[in-house]
Amino acid sequence: MPDHVHILVGLKPSISISDLVRDIKAGSSKFINDSKWIKGKFNWQEGFGAFSYSKSNLDNVVKYILNQEERHQKKTFKNEYLDFLEKFEIEYDPKYLFDWVE
């Protein structure tokens, strides 16, 4: 998607999600900038969202990710993300959410 990515990973308990996301953002930013895919310098926004699922839901998560382009024709990333926060009962302050691309 042009404004976000979904990544499904399995982590050992010794690996922090923050460290993983930092490394993904750093590596992908370097690759995009070295490849000159865009004019100017590419940077990710600050922050990220991470949601966990049980192994029994793995097939559903994979289908969800594979069908995101079709789904986002009906629901924006912003609405999708806010729905996740509600579904997972995550309290948040709107001032700390992403800068939405609309």
Side-chain angles (χ1 to χ4, degrees), residues 43-76:
N43 288 304
W44 290 100
Q45 286 191 47
E46 289 187 38
F48 63 90
F51 304 92
S52 64
Y53 285 89
S54 65
K55 191 170 186 177
S56 63
N57 278 322
L58 192 58
D59 286 343
N60 290 333
V61 174
V62 170
K63 287 176 190 171
Y64 185 89
I65 292 170
L66 290 174
N67 293 317
Q68 67 178 309
E69 188 171 358
E70 179 182 325
R71 191 178 49 263
H72 284 308
Q73 292 176 4
K74 300 172 189 165
K75 183 186 279 192
T76 65

PDB file of all heavy atoms in Angstrom, residues 43-76:
ATOM      1  N   ASN A  43      11.823   8.844   4.368  1.00  0.00           N
ATOM      2  CA  ASN A  43      11.850   8.560   5.801  1.00  0.00           C
ATOM      3  C   ASN A  43      10.503   7.989   6.214  1.00  0.00           C
ATOM      4  O   ASN A  43       9.464   8.433   5.726  1.00  0.00           O
ATOM      5  CB  ASN A  43      12.084   9.844   6.617  1.00  0.00           C
ATOM      6  CG  ASN A  43      13.477  10.359   6.497  1.00  0.00           C
ATOM      7  OD1 ASN A  43      14.430   9.648   6.780  1.00  0.00           O
ATOM      8  ND2 ASN A  43      13.610  11.604   6.069  1.00  0.00           N
ATOM      9  N   TRP A  44      10.528   7.041   7.127  1.00  0.00           N
ATOM     10  CA  TRP A  44       9.300   6.537   7.730  1.00  0.00           C
ATOM     11  C   TRP A  44       8.824   7.540   8.782  1.00  0.00           C
ATOM     12  O   TRP A  44       9.626   8.260   9.364  1.00  0.00           O
ATOM     13  CB  TRP A  44       9.550   5.201   8.424  1.00  0.00           C
ATOM     14  CG  TRP A  44       9.812   4.072   7.474  1.00  0.00           C
ATOM     15  CD1 TRP A  44      11.034   3.559   7.142  1.00  0.00           C
ATOM     16  CD2 TRP A  44       8.850   3.311   6.761  1.00  0.00           C
ATOM     17  NE1 TRP A  44      10.881   2.523   6.253  1.00  0.00           N
ATOM     18  CE2 TRP A  44       9.545   2.353   6.009  1.00  0.00           C
ATOM     19  CE3 TRP A  44       7.453   3.344   6.685  1.00  0.00           C
ATOM     20  CZ2 TRP A  44       8.899   1.430   5.192  1.00  0.00           C
ATOM     21  CZ3 TRP A  44       6.812   2.426   5.872  1.00  0.00           C
ATOM     22  CH2 TRP A  44       7.536   1.488   5.134  1.00  0.00           C
ATOM     23  N   GLN A  45       7.527   7.525   9.058  1.00  0.00           N
ATOM     24  CA  GLN A  45       7.017   8.298  10.183  1.00  0.00           C
ATOM     25  C   GLN A  45       7.531   7.681  11.480  1.00  0.00           C
ATOM     26  O   GLN A  45       7.926   6.513  11.514  1.00  0.00           O
ATOM     27  CB  GLN A  45       5.485   8.252  10.224  1.00  0.00           C
ATOM     28  CG  GLN A  45       4.807   9.079   9.187  1.00  0.00           C
ATOM     29  CD  GLN A  45       3.310   9.177   9.471  1.00  0.00           C
ATOM     30  OE1 GLN A  45       2.915   9.433  10.602  1.00  0.00           O
ATOM     31  NE2 GLN A  45       2.508   8.971   8.444  1.00  0.00           N
ATOM     32  N   GLU A  46       7.483   8.462  12.541  1.00  0.00           N
ATOM     33  CA  GLU A  46       7.786   7.903  13.856  1.00  0.00           C
ATOM     34  C   GLU A  46       6.656   6.962  14.251  1.00  0.00           C
ATOM     35  O   GLU A  46       5.519   7.121  13.823  1.00  0.00           O
ATOM     36  CB  GLU A  46       7.902   9.021  14.898  1.00  0.00           C
ATOM     37  CG  GLU A  46       9.139   9.865  14.737  1.00  0.00           C
ATOM     38  CD  GLU A  46       9.297  10.841  15.897  1.00  0.00           C
ATOM     39  OE1 GLU A  46       8.995  10.460  17.045  1.00  0.00           O
ATOM     40  OE2 GLU A  46       9.696  11.971  15.629  1.00  0.00           O
ATOM     41  N   GLY A  47       6.987   6.019  15.080  1.00  0.00           N
ATOM     42  CA  GLY A  47       5.979   5.133  15.640  1.00  0.00           C
ATOM     43  C   GLY A  47       5.616   3.965  14.739  1.00  0.00           C
ATOM     44  O   GLY A  47       6.064   3.854  13.608  1.00  0.00           O
ATOM     45  N   PHE A  48       4.792   3.076  15.301  1.00  0.00           N
ATOM     46  CA  PHE A  48       4.312   1.898  14.586  1.00  0.00           C
ATOM     47  C   PHE A  48       3.193   1.280  15.406  1.00  0.00           C
ATOM     48  O   PHE A  48       2.993   1.611  16.574  1.00  0.00           O
ATOM     49  CB  PHE A  48       5.446   0.874  14.374  1.00  0.00           C
ATOM     50  CG  PHE A  48       6.003   0.330  15.660  1.00  0.00           C
ATOM     51  CD1 PHE A  48       5.474  -0.809  16.237  1.00  0.00           C
ATOM     52  CD2 PHE A  48       7.051   0.961  16.297  1.00  0.00           C
ATOM     53  CE1 PHE A  48       5.981  -1.303  17.433  1.00  0.00           C
ATOM     54  CE2 PHE A  48       7.577   0.473  17.487  1.00  0.00           C
ATOM     55  CZ  PHE A  48       7.036  -0.662  18.060  1.00  0.00           C
ATOM     56  N   GLY A  49       2.467   0.395  14.785  1.00  0.00           N
ATOM     57  CA  GLY A  49       1.456  -0.389  15.494  1.00  0.00           C
ATOM     58  C   GLY A  49       1.843  -1.849  15.413  1.00  0.00           C
ATOM     59  O   GLY A  49       2.316  -2.314  14.373  1.00  0.00           O
ATOM     60  N   ALA A  50       1.678  -2.572  16.498  1.00  0.00           N
ATOM     61  CA  ALA A  50       1.979  -4.002  16.517  1.00  0.00           C
ATOM     62  C   ALA A  50       0.849  -4.721  17.245  1.00  0.00           C
ATOM     63  O   ALA A  50       0.423  -4.291  18.319  1.00  0.00           O
ATOM     64  CB  ALA A  50       3.311  -4.265  17.212  1.00  0.00           C
ATOM     65  N   PHE A  51       0.370  -5.772  16.636  1.00  0.00           N
ATOM     66  CA  PHE A  51      -0.741  -6.525  17.191  1.00  0.00           C
ATOM     67  C   PHE A  51      -0.373  -7.998  17.173  1.00  0.00           C
ATOM     68  O   PHE A  51       0.214  -8.481  16.209  1.00  0.00           O
ATOM     69  CB  PHE A  51      -2.011  -6.290  16.361  1.00  0.00           C
ATOM     70  CG  PHE A  51      -2.363  -4.831  16.255  1.00  0.00           C
ATOM     71  CD1 PHE A  51      -1.897  -4.073  15.197  1.00  0.00           C
ATOM     72  CD2 PHE A  51      -3.135  -4.219  17.223  1.00  0.00           C
ATOM     73  CE1 PHE A  51      -2.200  -2.721  15.098  1.00  0.00           C
ATOM     74  CE2 PHE A  51      -3.448  -2.873  17.143  1.00  0.00           C
ATOM     75  CZ  PHE A  51      -2.984  -2.124  16.078  1.00  0.00           C
ATOM     76  N   SER A  52      -0.703  -8.718  18.229  1.00  0.00           N
ATOM     77  CA  SER A  52      -0.349 -10.132  18.291  1.00  0.00           C
ATOM     78  C   SER A  52      -1.583 -10.997  18.056  1.00  0.00           C
ATOM     79  O   SER A  52      -2.713 -10.596  18.334  1.00  0.00           O
ATOM     80  CB  SER A  52       0.282 -10.469  19.649  1.00  0.00           C
ATOM     81  OG  SER A  52      -0.656 -10.265  20.689  1.00  0.00           O
ATOM     82  N   TYR A  53      -1.317 -12.176  17.519  1.00  0.00           N
ATOM     83  CA  TYR A  53      -2.367 -13.144  17.240  1.00  0.00           C
ATOM     84  C   TYR A  53      -1.897 -14.518  17.675  1.00  0.00           C
ATOM     85  O   TYR A  53      -0.698 -14.809  17.680  1.00  0.00           O
ATOM     86  CB  TYR A  53      -2.677 -13.188  15.736  1.00  0.00           C
ATOM     87  CG  TYR A  53      -3.481 -11.999  15.271  1.00  0.00           C
ATOM     88  CD1 TYR A  53      -2.852 -10.842  14.847  1.00  0.00           C
ATOM     89  CD2 TYR A  53      -4.863 -12.039  15.282  1.00  0.00           C
ATOM     90  CE1 TYR A  53      -3.586  -9.747  14.427  1.00  0.00           C
ATOM     91  CE2 TYR A  53      -5.608 -10.949  14.873  1.00  0.00           C
ATOM     92  CZ  TYR A  53      -4.969  -9.811  14.443  1.00  0.00           C
ATOM     93  OH  TYR A  53      -5.687  -8.719  14.040  1.00  0.00           O
ATOM     94  N   SER A  54      -2.842 -15.386  17.972  1.00  0.00           N
ATOM     95  CA  SER A  54      -2.503 -16.758  18.323  1.00  0.00           C
ATOM     96  C   SER A  54      -2.163 -17.530  17.050  1.00  0.00           C
ATOM     97  O   SER A  54      -2.577 -17.155  15.944  1.00  0.00           O
ATOM     98  CB  SER A  54      -3.673 -17.433  19.041  1.00  0.00           C
ATOM     99  OG  SER A  54      -4.775 -17.544  18.158  1.00  0.00           O
ATOM    100  N   LYS A  55      -1.432 -18.589  17.219  1.00  0.00           N
ATOM    101  CA  LYS A  55      -1.038 -19.417  16.072  1.00  0.00           C
ATOM    102  C   LYS A  55      -2.266 -19.958  15.350  1.00  0.00           C
ATOM    103  O   LYS A  55      -2.266 -20.128  14.131  1.00  0.00           O
ATOM    104  CB  LYS A  55      -0.140 -20.560  16.536  1.00  0.00           C
ATOM    105  CG  LYS A  55       0.519 -21.292  15.411  1.00  0.00           C
ATOM    106  CD  LYS A  55       1.582 -22.237  15.906  1.00  0.00           C
ATOM    107  CE  LYS A  55       2.317 -22.842  14.732  1.00  0.00           C
ATOM    108  NZ  LYS A  55       3.393 -23.715  15.159  1.00  0.00           N
ATOM    109  N   SER A  56      -3.357 -20.196  16.077  1.00  0.00           N
ATOM    110  CA  SER A  56      -4.571 -20.726  15.453  1.00  0.00           C
ATOM    111  C   SER A  56      -5.212 -19.728  14.490  1.00  0.00           C
ATOM    112  O   SER A  56      -6.019 -20.117  13.648  1.00  0.00           O
ATOM    113  CB  SER A  56      -5.583 -21.138  16.522  1.00  0.00           C
ATOM    114  OG  SER A  56      -5.994 -20.023  17.290  1.00  0.00           O
ATOM    115  N   ASN A  57      -4.868 -18.441  14.589  1.00  0.00           N
ATOM    116  CA  ASN A  57      -5.405 -17.419  13.693  1.00  0.00           C
ATOM    117  C   ASN A  57      -4.458 -17.070  12.546  1.00  0.00           C
ATOM    118  O   ASN A  57      -4.742 -16.147  11.777  1.00  0.00           O
ATOM    119  CB  ASN A  57      -5.720 -16.137  14.471  1.00  0.00           C
ATOM    120  CG  ASN A  57      -7.055 -16.209  15.155  1.00  0.00           C
ATOM    121  OD1 ASN A  57      -7.999 -16.746  14.615  1.00  0.00           O
ATOM    122  ND2 ASN A  57      -7.125 -15.668  16.355  1.00  0.00           N
ATOM    123  N   LEU A  58      -3.360 -17.779  12.432  1.00  0.00           N
ATOM    124  CA  LEU A  58      -2.334 -17.448  11.444  1.00  0.00           C
ATOM    125  C   LEU A  58      -2.881 -17.400  10.019  1.00  0.00           C
ATOM    126  O   LEU A  58      -2.608 -16.457   9.274  1.00  0.00           O
ATOM    127  CB  LEU A  58      -1.177 -18.443  11.539  1.00  0.00           C
ATOM    128  CG  LEU A  58       0.088 -18.090  10.793  1.00  0.00           C
ATOM    129  CD1 LEU A  58       0.647 -16.753  11.260  1.00  0.00           C
ATOM    130  CD2 LEU A  58       1.120 -19.181  10.993  1.00  0.00           C
ATOM    131  N   ASP A  59      -3.681 -18.387   9.622  1.00  0.00           N
ATOM    132  CA  ASP A  59      -4.231 -18.394   8.263  1.00  0.00           C
ATOM    133  C   ASP A  59      -5.094 -17.160   8.006  1.00  0.00           C
ATOM    134  O   ASP A  59      -5.033 -16.571   6.921  1.00  0.00           O
ATOM    135  CB  ASP A  59      -5.057 -19.656   8.013  1.00  0.00           C
ATOM    136  CG  ASP A  59      -4.204 -20.899   7.836  1.00  0.00           C
ATOM    137  OD1 ASP A  59      -2.986 -20.759   7.581  1.00  0.00           O
ATOM    138  OD2 ASP A  59      -4.752 -22.007   7.957  1.00  0.00           O
ATOM    139  N   ASN A  60      -5.882 -16.751   8.985  1.00  0.00           N
ATOM    140  CA  ASN A  60      -6.726 -15.562   8.831  1.00  0.00           C
ATOM    141  C   ASN A  60      -5.885 -14.300   8.682  1.00  0.00           C
ATOM    142  O   ASN A  60      -6.230 -13.410   7.895  1.00  0.00           O
ATOM    143  CB  ASN A  60      -7.680 -15.409  10.018  1.00  0.00           C
ATOM    144  CG  ASN A  60      -8.751 -16.475  10.035  1.00  0.00           C
ATOM    145  OD1 ASN A  60      -9.120 -17.017   9.006  1.00  0.00           O
ATOM    146  ND2 ASN A  60      -9.245 -16.775  11.217  1.00  0.00           N
ATOM    147  N   VAL A  61      -4.796 -14.209   9.429  1.00  0.00           N
ATOM    148  CA  VAL A  61      -3.921 -13.036   9.331  1.00  0.00           C
ATOM    149  C   VAL A  61      -3.260 -12.976   7.961  1.00  0.00           C
ATOM    150  O   VAL A  61      -3.192 -11.911   7.340  1.00  0.00           O
ATOM    151  CB  VAL A  61      -2.869 -13.033  10.467  1.00  0.00           C
ATOM    152  CG1 VAL A  61      -1.879 -11.892  10.287  1.00  0.00           C
ATOM    153  CG2 VAL A  61      -3.544 -12.957  11.828  1.00  0.00           C
ATOM    154  N   VAL A  62      -2.797 -14.098   7.461  1.00  0.00           N
ATOM    155  CA  VAL A  62      -2.175 -14.143   6.137  1.00  0.00           C
ATOM    156  C   VAL A  62      -3.183 -13.706   5.072  1.00  0.00           C
ATOM    157  O   VAL A  62      -2.872 -12.879   4.208  1.00  0.00           O
ATOM    158  CB  VAL A  62      -1.622 -15.557   5.823  1.00  0.00           C
ATOM    159  CG1 VAL A  62      -1.207 -15.675   4.366  1.00  0.00           C
ATOM    160  CG2 VAL A  62      -0.450 -15.866   6.750  1.00  0.00           C
ATOM    161  N   LYS A  63      -4.402 -14.214   5.137  1.00  0.00           N
ATOM    162  CA  LYS A  63      -5.446 -13.818   4.176  1.00  0.00           C
ATOM    163  C   LYS A  63      -5.723 -12.320   4.290  1.00  0.00           C
ATOM    164  O   LYS A  63      -5.909 -11.643   3.277  1.00  0.00           O
ATOM    165  CB  LYS A  63      -6.717 -14.615   4.425  1.00  0.00           C
ATOM    166  CG  LYS A  63      -6.631 -16.050   3.995  1.00  0.00           C
ATOM    167  CD  LYS A  63      -7.889 -16.803   4.355  1.00  0.00           C
ATOM    168  CE  LYS A  63      -7.698 -18.300   4.154  1.00  0.00           C
ATOM    169  NZ  LYS A  63      -8.808 -19.078   4.687  1.00  0.00           N
ATOM    170  N   TYR A  64      -5.768 -11.816   5.505  1.00  0.00           N
ATOM    171  CA  TYR A  64      -6.018 -10.395   5.739  1.00  0.00           C
ATOM    172  C   TYR A  64      -4.947  -9.552   5.043  1.00  0.00           C
ATOM    173  O   TYR A  64      -5.251  -8.588   4.345  1.00  0.00           O
ATOM    174  CB  TYR A  64      -6.018 -10.126   7.238  1.00  0.00           C
ATOM    175  CG  TYR A  64      -6.391  -8.717   7.601  1.00  0.00           C
ATOM    176  CD1 TYR A  64      -7.708  -8.358   7.807  1.00  0.00           C
ATOM    177  CD2 TYR A  64      -5.414  -7.733   7.722  1.00  0.00           C
ATOM    178  CE1 TYR A  64      -8.053  -7.059   8.131  1.00  0.00           C
ATOM    179  CE2 TYR A  64      -5.746  -6.431   8.044  1.00  0.00           C
ATOM    180  CZ  TYR A  64      -7.069  -6.106   8.261  1.00  0.00           C
ATOM    181  OH  TYR A  64      -7.394  -4.812   8.562  1.00  0.00           O
ATOM    182  N   ILE A  65      -3.700  -9.925   5.221  1.00  0.00           N
ATOM    183  CA  ILE A  65      -2.597  -9.173   4.607  1.00  0.00           C
ATOM    184  C   ILE A  65      -2.637  -9.289   3.087  1.00  0.00           C
ATOM    185  O   ILE A  65      -2.476  -8.297   2.378  1.00  0.00           O
ATOM    186  CB  ILE A  65      -1.242  -9.657   5.170  1.00  0.00           C
ATOM    187  CG1 ILE A  65      -1.122  -9.266   6.657  1.00  0.00           C
ATOM    188  CG2 ILE A  65      -0.081  -9.076   4.365  1.00  0.00           C
ATOM    189  CD1 ILE A  65       0.054  -9.886   7.368  1.00  0.00           C
ATOM    190  N   LEU A  66      -2.876 -10.478   2.585  1.00  0.00           N
ATOM    191  CA  LEU A  66      -2.892 -10.678   1.131  1.00  0.00           C
ATOM    192  C   LEU A  66      -4.028  -9.913   0.450  1.00  0.00           C
ATOM    193  O   LEU A  66      -3.909  -9.545  -0.720  1.00  0.00           O
ATOM    194  CB  LEU A  66      -2.997 -12.165   0.800  1.00  0.00           C
ATOM    195  CG  LEU A  66      -1.765 -13.005   1.120  1.00  0.00           C
ATOM    196  CD1 LEU A  66      -2.044 -14.483   0.872  1.00  0.00           C
ATOM    197  CD2 LEU A  66      -0.556 -12.546   0.320  1.00  0.00           C
ATOM    198  N   ASN A  67      -5.106  -9.663   1.168  1.00  0.00           N
ATOM    199  CA  ASN A  67      -6.270  -8.982   0.590  1.00  0.00           C
ATOM    200  C   ASN A  67      -6.352  -7.508   0.960  1.00  0.00           C
ATOM    201  O   ASN A  67      -7.396  -6.888   0.780  1.00  0.00           O
ATOM    202  CB  ASN A  67      -7.556  -9.699   1.016  1.00  0.00           C
ATOM    203  CG  ASN A  67      -7.653 -11.081   0.419  1.00  0.00           C
ATOM    204  OD1 ASN A  67      -7.363 -11.279  -0.749  1.00  0.00           O
ATOM    205  ND2 ASN A  67      -8.049 -12.041   1.234  1.00  0.00           N
ATOM    206  N   GLN A  68      -5.259  -6.929   1.433  1.00  0.00           N
ATOM    207  CA  GLN A  68      -5.332  -5.544   1.911  1.00  0.00           C
ATOM    208  C   GLN A  68      -5.648  -4.549   0.800  1.00  0.00           C
ATOM    209  O   GLN A  68      -6.380  -3.584   1.030  1.00  0.00           O
ATOM    210  CB  GLN A  68      -4.079  -5.151   2.669  1.00  0.00           C
ATOM    211  CG  GLN A  68      -2.823  -5.082   1.854  1.00  0.00           C
ATOM    212  CD  GLN A  68      -1.651  -4.635   2.684  1.00  0.00           C
ATOM    213  OE1 GLN A  68      -1.711  -3.628   3.372  1.00  0.00           O
ATOM    214  NE2 GLN A  68      -0.575  -5.397   2.627  1.00  0.00           N
ATOM    215  N   GLU A  69      -5.138  -4.759  -0.390  1.00  0.00           N
ATOM    216  CA  GLU A  69      -5.404  -3.797  -1.467  1.00  0.00           C
ATOM    217  C   GLU A  69      -6.904  -3.724  -1.763  1.00  0.00           C
ATOM    218  O   GLU A  69      -7.474  -2.637  -1.884  1.00  0.00           O
ATOM    219  CB  GLU A  69      -4.625  -4.164  -2.727  1.00  0.00           C
ATOM    220  CG  GLU A  69      -4.711  -3.105  -3.797  1.00  0.00           C
ATOM    221  CD  GLU A  69      -3.763  -3.369  -4.954  1.00  0.00           C
ATOM    222  OE1 GLU A  69      -2.998  -4.354  -4.916  1.00  0.00           O
ATOM    223  OE2 GLU A  69      -3.797  -2.570  -5.901  1.00  0.00           O
ATOM    224  N   GLU A  70      -7.540  -4.874  -1.862  1.00  0.00           N
ATOM    225  CA  GLU A  70      -8.989  -4.916  -2.099  1.00  0.00           C
ATOM    226  C   GLU A  70      -9.757  -4.304  -0.922  1.00  0.00           C
ATOM    227  O   GLU A  70     -10.691  -3.534  -1.105  1.00  0.00           O
ATOM    228  CB  GLU A  70      -9.427  -6.366  -2.311  1.00  0.00           C
ATOM    229  CG  GLU A  70     -10.908  -6.550  -2.535  1.00  0.00           C
ATOM    230  CD  GLU A  70     -11.278  -8.021  -2.677  1.00  0.00           C
ATOM    231  OE1 GLU A  70     -10.484  -8.796  -3.248  1.00  0.00           O
ATOM    232  OE2 GLU A  70     -12.375  -8.387  -2.214  1.00  0.00           O
ATOM    233  N   ARG A  71      -9.340  -4.637   0.284  1.00  0.00           N
ATOM    234  CA  ARG A  71     -10.017  -4.135   1.487  1.00  0.00           C
ATOM    235  C   ARG A  71      -9.903  -2.618   1.590  1.00  0.00           C
ATOM    236  O   ARG A  71     -10.855  -1.942   1.979  1.00  0.00           O
ATOM    237  CB  ARG A  71      -9.435  -4.808   2.727  1.00  0.00           C
ATOM    238  CG  ARG A  71     -10.225  -4.565   3.985  1.00  0.00           C
ATOM    239  CD  ARG A  71      -9.652  -5.282   5.196  1.00  0.00           C
ATOM    240  NE  ARG A  71      -8.236  -5.082   5.370  1.00  0.00           N
ATOM    241  CZ  ARG A  71      -7.282  -5.914   4.970  1.00  0.00           C
ATOM    242  NH1 ARG A  71      -7.593  -7.027   4.353  1.00  0.00           N
ATOM    243  NH2 ARG A  71      -6.010  -5.645   5.160  1.00  0.00           N
ATOM    244  N   HIS A  72      -8.748  -2.076   1.204  1.00  0.00           N
ATOM    245  CA  HIS A  72      -8.554  -0.628   1.334  1.00  0.00           C
ATOM    246  C   HIS A  72      -9.302   0.164   0.262  1.00  0.00           C
ATOM    247  O   HIS A  72      -9.310   1.391   0.313  1.00  0.00           O
ATOM    248  CB  HIS A  72      -7.068  -0.285   1.346  1.00  0.00           C
ATOM    249  CG  HIS A  72      -6.429  -0.617   2.655  1.00  0.00           C
ATOM    250  ND1 HIS A  72      -6.930  -0.183   3.858  1.00  0.00           N
ATOM    251  CD2 HIS A  72      -5.347  -1.365   2.954  1.00  0.00           C
ATOM    252  CE1 HIS A  72      -6.169  -0.646   4.829  1.00  0.00           C
ATOM    253  NE2 HIS A  72      -5.209  -1.371   4.303  1.00  0.00           N
ATOM    254  N   GLN A  73      -9.923  -0.499  -0.653  1.00  0.00           N
ATOM    255  CA  GLN A  73     -10.828   0.201  -1.561  1.00  0.00           C
ATOM    256  C   GLN A  73     -12.132   0.545  -0.832  1.00  0.00           C
ATOM    257  O   GLN A  73     -12.853   1.434  -1.247  1.00  0.00           O
ATOM    258  CB  GLN A  73     -11.113  -0.649  -2.801  1.00  0.00           C
ATOM    259  CG  GLN A  73      -9.895  -0.819  -3.687  1.00  0.00           C
ATOM    260  CD  GLN A  73     -10.152  -1.738  -4.865  1.00  0.00           C
ATOM    261  OE1 GLN A  73     -11.253  -2.207  -5.088  1.00  0.00           O
ATOM    262  NE2 GLN A  73      -9.099  -2.000  -5.636  1.00  0.00           N
ATOM    263  N   LYS A  74     -12.403  -0.168   0.260  1.00  0.00           N
ATOM    264  CA  LYS A  74     -13.630   0.036   1.028  1.00  0.00           C
ATOM    265  C   LYS A  74     -13.380   0.742   2.359  1.00  0.00           C
ATOM    266  O   LYS A  74     -14.267   1.391   2.896  1.00  0.00           O
ATOM    267  CB  LYS A  74     -14.301  -1.316   1.302  1.00  0.00           C
ATOM    268  CG  LYS A  74     -14.678  -2.067   0.047  1.00  0.00           C
ATOM    269  CD  LYS A  74     -15.161  -3.459   0.374  1.00  0.00           C
ATOM    270  CE  LYS A  74     -15.326  -4.274  -0.902  1.00  0.00           C
ATOM    271  NZ  LYS A  74     -15.451  -5.682  -0.635  1.00  0.00           N
ATOM    272  N   LYS A  75     -12.187   0.573   2.908  1.00  0.00           N
ATOM    273  CA  LYS A  75     -11.865   1.138   4.221  1.00  0.00           C
ATOM    274  C   LYS A  75     -10.467   1.733   4.190  1.00  0.00           C
ATOM    275  O   LYS A  75      -9.526   1.079   3.762  1.00  0.00           O
ATOM    276  CB  LYS A  75     -11.945   0.051   5.289  1.00  0.00           C
ATOM    277  CG  LYS A  75     -11.694   0.554   6.701  1.00  0.00           C
ATOM    278  CD  LYS A  75     -11.638  -0.575   7.706  1.00  0.00           C
ATOM    279  CE  LYS A  75     -13.027  -0.991   8.083  1.00  0.00           C
ATOM    280  NZ  LYS A  75     -13.037  -1.885   9.262  1.00  0.00           N
ATOM    281  N   THR A  76     -10.337   2.973   4.652  1.00  0.00           N
ATOM    282  CA  THR A  76      -9.033   3.628   4.662  1.00  0.00           C
ATOM    283  C   THR A  76      -8.116   3.007   5.702  1.00  0.00           C
ATOM    284  O   THR A  76      -8.574   2.342   6.639  1.00  0.00           O
ATOM    285  CB  THR A  76      -9.173   5.128   4.975  1.00  0.00           C
ATOM    286  OG1 THR A  76      -9.666   5.272   6.315  1.00  0.00           O
ATOM    287  CG2 THR A  76     -10.087   5.832   3.984  1.00  0.00           C
TER     288      THR A  76
END
